[in-house]
């Protein structure tokens, strides 16, 4: 930090938020030696487990985390969403987020914001001092603003996200190396702009932990070949956060939070194959591979993760479920989901959440009618392609998302992280920034 940065001379409170895709709180709490920085933040302020959202899918989580409102307001429900009045689907991007981001509230209040690598933000906003969109962006050059940032990324040969295809290989050495290189490059970017000290709100997201957890969680739990690689990766992550914390001026509050928890994955579960076999879903084409291929006689279909939709008259193009029968048919589907058993008789679904319980807002027209929260081990996929089985125990991933056990750490003595969820992050940041907002602007509440 330069002399003039240290003499910035403003009384405006400032906040740095470091987001982590998929860090479970118990991983930190059970191994403080690997996480000295996060443990120190919890000691100086507070830290704890928080709940994610329904469904706990990253593309839905990041808009919620950065707005403080539920998917019914953000308009983003998962990695793939359904067009209104159509069976066509699309991948939500930044322009599809319908709620106000925390950095937009900050800039409206006259503050400067730097936002780096946050998912579901492409294309980059040009009303911020600098922005780099996160995963699903096509390339760093088109994902960055302004030119100075683009030039740095090109010079640094910056990698936007981990190549998950490497994790599908039996030999995961290249995957581990790529994930670590991506992590270190991300940290170098964050530290560069943290030290510039020209922002009021800094938001940066580490997304490679989610990839590491998906492919190495089994090694971590079972002492597998990459057990030490897993721990070394997280030790490096904690050290990078420690460097950021050390570089921050005294007038900045650091907040570190994750999107969802993780647990062991035992079976990929193809929900549409199950619906087909149970008589809920039919396809018009034998070689089906998308939602557009469902037959008009289908009563229900599914999108990842564990989102179930009735094929409703007046809502779907070829809906067959009369609106008058909605409650009865939905209750039948709930009963079937709750009775669904996997291998060895284990129940697949822990509980089912109805749309009116999880989603409310002006953009709930594409909300699922039900979300099935699975029991540990059952990762609910859509699986539109024809499958020879419902349960696949042989996939490359060994870790899956959980609703419980996301993490939040606030480096502030007045913080109280308890009985909280992802909706509370944005209002906490706004409170720390002293940015005014009404109670109806956020579904959550400040934890400070």
């Amino acid at each position: 930090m330069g002399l003039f940065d240290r003499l910035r001379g403003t009384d405006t409170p400032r906040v740095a938020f470091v987001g982590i895709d998929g860090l479970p709180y118990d991983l930190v709490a059970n191994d403080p030696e690997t996480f000295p920085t996060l443990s120190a933040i919890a000691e100086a302020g507070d830290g704890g487990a928080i709940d994610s959202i329904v469904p706990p899918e990253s593309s839905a989580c990041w808009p919620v985390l950065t707005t403080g409102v539920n998917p019914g307001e953000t308009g983003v429900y998962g990695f793939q969403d359904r067009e209104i009045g159509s069976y066509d689907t699309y991948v939500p991007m930044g322009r599809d987020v319908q709620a106000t981001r925390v950095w937009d509230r900050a800039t409206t209040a006259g503050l400067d914001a730097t936002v780096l690598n946050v998912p579901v933000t492409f294309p980059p906003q040009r009303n911020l001092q600098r922005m780099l969109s996160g995963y699903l962006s096509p390339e760093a050059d088109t994902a960055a603003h302004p030119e100075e940032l683009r030039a740095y990324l090109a010079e640094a040969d910056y990698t936007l996200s981990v190549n998950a295809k490497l994790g599908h290989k039996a030999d995961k050495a290249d995957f581990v190396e790529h994930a670590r290189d991506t992590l270190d490059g991300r940290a170098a970017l964050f530290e560069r702009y943290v030290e510039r000290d020209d922002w009021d709100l800094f938001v940066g997201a580490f997304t490679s932990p989610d990839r590491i957890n998906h492919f190495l969680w089994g090694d971590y739990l079972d002492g597998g070949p990459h057990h030490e690689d897993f721990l070394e990766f997280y030790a490096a992550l904690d050290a990078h956060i420690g460097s950021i914390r050390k570089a921050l001026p005294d007038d900045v509050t650091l907040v570190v939070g994750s999107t969802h928890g993780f647990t062991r994955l035992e079976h990929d579960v193809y929900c549409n194959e199950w619906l087909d076999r149970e008589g809920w879903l039919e396809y018009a084409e034998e070689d089906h591979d998308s939602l557009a291929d469902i037959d008009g006689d289908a009563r229900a279909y599914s999108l990842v993760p564990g989102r179930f939709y009735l094929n409703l008259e007046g809502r779907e193009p070829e809906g067959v479920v009369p609106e008058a029968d909605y409650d009865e048919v939905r209750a039948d589907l709930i009963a079937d989901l709750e009775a669904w058993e996997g291998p060895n008789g284990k129940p697949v679904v822990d509980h089912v959440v109805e749309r009116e319980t999880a989603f409310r807002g002006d953009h709930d027209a594409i909300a699922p009618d039900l979300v099935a929260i699975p029991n540990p081990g059952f990762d609910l996929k859509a699986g539109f392609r024809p499958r020879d089985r419902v349960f696949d125990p042989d996939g490359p991933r060994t870790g899956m998302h959980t609703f419980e056990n996301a993490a939040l750490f606030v480096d502030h003595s007045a913080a109280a992280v308890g009985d909280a969820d992802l909706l509370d992050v944005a209002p906490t940041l706004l409170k720390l920034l002293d940015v005014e907002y009404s109670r109806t602007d956020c579904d959550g509440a400040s934890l400070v």
Side-chain angles (χ1 to χ4, degrees):
M1 186 191 312
L3 171 63
F4 292 104
D5 293 327
R6 293 182 185 278
L7 298 178
R8 193 166 182 263
T10 177
D11 294 329
T12 303
R14 296 191 290 157
V15 174
F17 176 75
V18 176
I20 304 174
D21 201 25
L23 173 70
Y25 174 72
D26 284 352
L27 187 65
V28 179
N30 295 337
D31 191 1
E33 292 185 359
T34 300
F35 297 94
T37 300
L38 293 180
S39 299
I41 293 173
E43 182 68 24
D46 200 11
I50 65 173
D51 286 339
S52 183
I53 60 162
V54 175
E57 202 276 331
S58 296
S59 287
C61 289
W62 284 105
V64 168
L65 185 152
T66 55
T67 64
V69 296
N70 76 94
E73 292 285 359
T74 68
V76 177
Y77 295 87
F79 180 78
Q80 182 184 41
D81 276 331
R82 179 180 59 81
E83 296 279 7
I84 295 176
S86 170
Y87 293 122
D88 293 335
T89 60
Y90 63 94
V91 176
M93 306 296 271
R95 63 175 65 89
D96 297 304
V97 178
Q98 303 298 310
T100 305
R101 305 275 197 162
V102 63
W103 49 79
D104 290 321
R105 295 192 184 279
T107 56
T108 298
L111 305 181
D112 291 321
T114 284
V115 180
L116 302 174
N117 267 109
V118 176
V120 201
T121 58
F122 184 82
Q125 296 176 222
R126 298 186 178 274
N127 63 324
L128 304 180
Q129 63 181 164
R130 63 183 66 91
M131 185 176 201
L132 173 63
S133 300
Y135 68 66
L136 299 182
S137 302
E139 56 184 7
D141 183 62
T142 58
H145 167 79
E147 175 59 33
E148 180 275 331
L149 175 56
R150 288 196 295 271
Y152 167 77
L153 297 172
E155 181 181 350
D157 195 22
Y158 186 79
T159 302
L160 270 176
S161 60
V162 176
N163 183 357
K165 292 181 180 179
L166 295 175
H168 289 247
K169 296 181 178 180
D171 183 353
K172 297 202 171 24
D174 289 343
F175 167 73
V176 171
E177 181 180 1
H178 191 258
R180 179 60 187 274
D181 288 345
T182 302
L183 174 73
D184 294 344
R186 185 77 47 93
L189 173 69
F190 291 177
E191 291 173 30
R192 171 186 173 88
Y193 289 106
V194 159
E195 291 177 354
R196 292 206 169 189
D197 190 31
D198 58 355
W199 41 264
D200 300 291
L201 172 64
F202 176 91
V203 180
F206 288 105
T207 54
S208 47
D210 180 84
R211 303 297 187 269
I212 282 287
N213 291 351
H214 274 304
F215 294 104
L216 300 187
W217 195 256
D219 286 59
Y220 163 66
L221 293 179
D222 301 333
H226 295 288
H227 176 83
E228 291 304 317
D229 292 328
F230 181 94
L231 294 178
E232 289 172 5
F233 174 89
Y234 273 108
L237 172 64
D238 187 85
H240 288 315
I241 297 172
S243 297
I244 292 170
R245 188 187 189 210
K246 185 176 180 180
L248 290 173
D250 292 340
D251 65 333
V252 176
T253 300
L254 175 62
V255 180
V256 181
S258 71
T259 47
H260 51 76
F262 253 89
T263 192
R264 185 194 295 274
L265 187 160
E266 296 177 354
H267 294 89
D268 285 325
V269 183
Y270 303 121
C271 294
N272 285 313
E273 182 67 25
W274 175 76
L275 288 171
D276 189 6
R277 297 184 183 198
E278 295 295 316
W280 285 95
L281 176 60
E282 296 181 25
Y283 292 98
E285 302 291 339
E286 183 176 346
D287 295 328
H288 50 274
D289 62 3
S290 73
L291 178 57
D293 293 326
I294 70 170
D295 186 81
D297 291 331
R299 291 187 297 153
Y301 57 90
S302 179
L303 292 177
V304 67
R307 290 177 287 161
F308 290 84
Y309 300 77
L310 297 186
N311 194 24
L312 190 64
E313 281 186 357
R315 187 182 69 182
E316 273 75 2
E318 299 180 27
V320 298
V321 176
E323 187 172 351
D325 296 340
Y326 178 86
D327 290 337
E328 180 182 354
V329 176
R330 191 173 69 162
D332 289 342
L333 181 54
I334 291 173
D336 283 358
L337 287 167
E338 291 177 338
W340 189 7
E341 292 184 350
N344 301 321
K346 294 181 179 179
V348 173
V349 176
D350 178 75
H351 63 283
V352 180
V353 181
E354 298 171 336
R355 65 178 290 159
E356 59 270 23
T357 300
F359 312 116
R360 56 196 178 278
D362 296 333
H363 308 287
D364 61 359
I366 58 171
D369 297 298
L370 302 168
V371 179
I373 304 300
N375 279 307
F378 297 107
D379 199 11
L380 303 184
K381 308 293 188 183
F384 283 108
R385 295 191 303 275
R387 306 283 178 173
D388 60 3
R389 53 187 170 178
V390 173
F391 300 95
D392 183 0
D394 302 320
R397 293 178 173 86
T398 59
M400 58 177 277
H401 298 187
T402 63
F403 171 76
E404 300 86 3
N405 204 34
L408 186 64
F409 303 87
V410 185
D411 204 355
H412 192 290
S413 59
V417 180
D419 192 26
D421 58 39
L422 212 60
L423 292 161
D424 298 321
V425 175
T428 298
L429 300 180
L430 293 171
K431 178 70 173 179
L432 290 169
L433 285 169
D434 200 21
V435 171
E436 293 185 2
Y437 64 96
S438 69
R439 291 191 63 181
T440 58
D441 288 336
C442 296
D443 292 334
S446 172
L447 302 175
V448 177

